[in-house]
Amino acid sequence: MTKVHGVYIFHGAGARFAAAVYETVEQATADIARHGLSGVLTWYPVGKTVYHHVVDEGLFAAKDYADGKFVQSFTSAFLDHYHFADGKTDCS
């Protein structure tokens, strides 16, 4: 993949909205561990949707039906992501 500016967003278990944004995975894992949080930490590109990022990187073929509804709910396993339970993960 090309070098794309991104951030790590933590979505707590059962939450409707993101709980935190971090610049590095190291910063995130330390904070999540310190507070014993559970949820998913995911890297997101800055300045574009996940859909457009994976298409631009050649990881997903553009779809003719990629209207706003599709793009706004699109996610990808190609994004770095880590699962946490009580502040612990296997990513560090």
Side-chain angles (χ1 to χ4, degrees):
M1 280 200 285
T2 59
K3 183 70 173 162
V4 175
H5 177 64
V7 293
Y8 288 88
I9 297 179
F10 180 74
H11 191 103
R16 289 188 63 189
F17 301 103
V21 178
Y22 303 95
E23 292 180 348
T24 67
V25 70
E26 294 81 12
Q27 179 188 40
T29 55
D31 195 48
I32 293 166
R34 179 174 39 255
H35 299 290
L37 306 179
S38 297
V40 178
L41 178 69
T42 306
W43 178 90
Y44 285 91
V46 171
K48 64 168 89 173
T49 66
V50 171
Y51 172 80
H52 291 100
H53 171 69
V54 297
V55 169
D56 291 350
E57 293 295 317
L59 301 170
F60 186 79
K63 303 295 182 192
D64 291 337
Y65 54 82
D67 60 5
K69 189 172 182 178
F70 180 81
V71 172
Q72 75 188 22
S73 62
F74 185 87
T75 190
S76 174
F78 285 110
L79 301 180
D80 287 343
H81 62 283
Y82 309 96
H83 297 268
F84 286 83
D86 301 322
K88 295 178 176 59
T89 186
D90 58 6
C91 74
S92 49

